[in-house]
Amino acid sequence: MSHPNPQTMGQQFGRRSWAEPWKIKMVEPLRMISRDERARALAEAGYNTFLLRSDDVYIDLLTDSGTSAMSDRQWAGMLLGDEAYAGSRNFYHLEEALQHYYGYRFVVPTHQGRGAEHLISQAVIKRGQWVPGNMYFTTTRLHQELAGGIFTDVIIDEAHDSTSMHPFKGNIDLGKLEAVIKREGPEKIAYVSLAGTVNMAGGQPVSMANVRELRALCDRYGVRLFLDATRMVENAFFIQEREAGYANTPIAAIVKEFCGYTDGAWMSAKKDNLVNIGGWLAVNDEQLFEELRNLVVVYEGLHTYGGLAGRDLEAMAIGIAESMSDDHVRARIGQVRYLGELLSDWEIPIVQPIGGHAIFLDARRFYPHIPQVQFPAQTLAAELYLDAGIRSMERGIASAGRDPATGDHYYPKLELTRLTIPRRVYTQAHMDVVAEAVKAVYDAREQTHGLRMVYEPKYLRFFQARFERI
Ligand code: P71
């Protein structure tokens, strides 16, 4: 059969095609079960994608966390694991990589991001102190609250508007922050909690200008500034692309300059750093480091392994270097953008601009007839699974949880379903299959009803909550 106007996808988008800067050496077979089997699996999982078995999933876009493919070099590094209890050589390799690429002086490994969040929150927050941040992340805010802190959101207003095209929707509103500092007094501020490419805002970046001004503001009041570096490499890509003066600056140099304005960082290495498990905490203040190094032995393990095996530390050290490659980051974000552009060309409501690690479907606009208390984003995640075996994640009212003061739900402005792309795992053909499934679910939107929550656990309820169809 001949085609009237054959075009590659690149040509259809009006550009030369790009390809991933790697080739595949080992494959993992996928399994697709029937629609009836998916309906059964979904009901058994209480309409919660966290409760599905991964064997029942075809394309898994639940998260980019710990789901990356490691390189041949990382796998080779795993065999060089020095499993000594103390002083493993892999720790020193990790320490060197962190000092070299992120620029912090002192390093504490942890088993993953929330291990690091726990330690920094316990070490730095005094009961009743405020923690202003650029939107919240679930585990981050929970650890801040468990340490007695009061989180308050000081992100710019545009971040809460899924249609705003602001290029740096992750920025902190310095006016809002200064108002909190003045109202409470600087001694009541534990630290400013800044995240690169803000996850809950749709993977939206922070500009270099913003962190520079933030540093100046914090210095004026003697307030500390800590960074959630989980997706800071991806944030650097947006600075390179959008901020004047950075077009020819390598990703690695942008990351280092940005981190240089902060007093330290915590990290879920399961994202940017291309490992399946791992995290770290890094600070410049020696006294704080001593405290953290002491705390880590209580909760994670000795300060040279922090809950990880030597081989995990080695894979992380190598992953850090690989993650800083401009080609890698461009291909990674390019793939996310490819999927997003297809969906927005089909006028499917997604958060704009397209962020770094995921496409966020705007469930409010997708299902305008489903009220927020009937979990539109959770509903959309369930429908995508049912249609095509694609697993996504709710990032709306279920994730937001309840206000500890009133007991009522938090009602976040953003009611989103996240299609999160693992790094170096899926091909463009997988993205096409995903796009077509989203389109099919969108076309059937008017016949779709919401959900009611029938089981709600106390902490981070979205992981284990169960729902029924209304
Ligand atoms: C993501 C995750 C993993 C996750 C965590 C909680 C609920 C659902 C999914 C984890 C992050 C993150 C940021 C910005 C800290 C953590 C915790 N994200 N900061 O997006 O995105 O790290 O999972 O290694 O403990 O799917 P950890």
Side-chain angles (χ1 to χ4, degrees), residues 50 62-65 111-117 137-140 195-200 228-231 266-271 277-279 357 393 395 399 418 420 460 462-463:
F50 280 107
L62 183 70
T63 179
D64 63 331
S65 182
H111 79 282
Q112 63 182 76
R114 70 200 75 178
E117 290 169 341
F137 187 72
T138 51
T139 57
T140 316
T197 50
V198 180
N199 193 354
M200 303 297 274
D228 182 336
T230 297
R231 297 184 184 84
W266 65 88
M267 178 75 179
S268 171
K270 299 169 71 171
K271 282 80 163 176
I277 191 71
H357 64 303
M393 188 192 291
R395 298 276 75 171
S399 296
R418 188 181 74 172
T420 338
L460 301 174
F462 54 89
F463 281 129

Side-chain angles (χ1 to χ4, degrees), residues 76-305:
M78 297 284 279
L79 291 179
L80 303 177
D82 168 8
E83 306 304 343
Y85 190 91
S88 158
R89 84 171 80 86
N90 311 114
F91 167 74
Y92 297 102
H93 185 192
L94 173 68
E95 188 183 51
E96 257 168 53
L98 273 167
Q99 289 167 341
H100 178 74
Y101 286 105
Y102 289 88
Y104 299 112
R105 292 176 64 201
F106 303 107
V107 175
V108 178
T110 62
H111 79 282
Q112 63 182 76
R114 70 200 75 178
E117 290 169 341
H118 176 214
L119 300 182
I120 189 123
S121 302
Q122 292 295 329
V124 177
I125 300 172
K126 293 197 201 81
R127 203 148 283 282
Q129 276 187 325
W130 291 75
V131 189
N134 52 347
M135 207 169 262
Y136 75 101
F137 187 72
T138 51
T139 57
T140 316
R141 187 180 68 191
L142 179 62
H143 280 295
Q144 290 164 348
E145 289 173 350
L146 288 172
I150 310 161
F151 175 81
T152 183
D153 181 12
V154 291
I155 202 165
I156 59 171
D157 288 339
E158 286 88 340
H160 293 281
D161 173 0
S162 71
T163 62
S164 160
M165 291 303 283
H166 193 293
F168 291 103
K169 278 166 98 171
N171 280 356
I172 283 191
D173 182 326
L174 298 164
K176 282 189 201 170
L177 173 61
E178 189 161 20
V180 176
I181 301 175
K182 279 188 171 153
R183 190 186 71 215
E184 301 299 329
E187 66 294 338
K188 286 288 294 283
I189 309 297
Y191 57 90
V192 174
S193 179
L194 176 71
T197 50
V198 180
N199 193 354
M200 303 297 274
Q204 303 295 331
V206 177
S207 70
M208 194 70 89
N210 192 244
V211 72
R212 214 179 281 129
E213 289 172 36
L214 200 52
R215 176 75 266 166
L217 183 73
C218 288
D219 284 346
R220 212 168 323 131
Y221 289 98
V223 170
R224 279 182 287 193
L225 174 59
F226 290 114
L227 174 71
D228 182 336
T230 297
R231 297 184 184 84
M232 189 57 229
V233 172
E234 291 169 0
N235 196 110
F237 173 85
F238 292 107
I239 290 175
Q240 190 185 59
E241 179 181 65
R242 297 178 188 168
E243 196 160 353
Y246 290 94
N248 299 313
T249 313
I251 294 288
I254 296 174
V255 168
K256 200 156 181 184
E257 181 186 341
F258 194 104
C259 293
Y261 296 118
T262 68
D263 295 303
W266 65 88
M267 178 75 179
S268 171
K270 299 169 71 171
K271 282 80 163 176
D272 270 357
N273 291 169
L274 298 165
V275 286
N276 303 123
I277 191 71
W280 47 262
L281 193 53
V283 295
N284 290 328
D285 179 60
E286 191 159 12
Q287 218 179 324
L288 175 59
F289 167 63
E290 263 177 41
E291 203 177 326
L292 294 167
R293 186 175 53 178
N294 192 209
L295 266 183
V296 74
V297 302
V298 181
Y299 295 106
E300 304 276 315
L302 191 72
H303 58 275
T304 55
Y305 77 85

Side-chain angles (χ1 to χ4, degrees), residues 141 145 400-411 461:
R141 187 180 68 191
E145 289 173 350
R402 287 182 191 272
D403 184 336
T406 67
D408 193 8
H409 300 290
Y410 284 115
Y411 294 90
R461 65 182 186 182

Side-chain angles (χ1 to χ4, degrees), residues 19-36:
E20 293 78 4
W22 39 260
K23 57 184 177 174
I24 297 165
K25 174 142 53 184
M26 191 187 284
V27 298
E28 180 180 344
L30 295 176
R31 195 169 84 108
M32 167 98 107
I33 59 177
S34 71
R35 190 183 172 97
D36 284 349

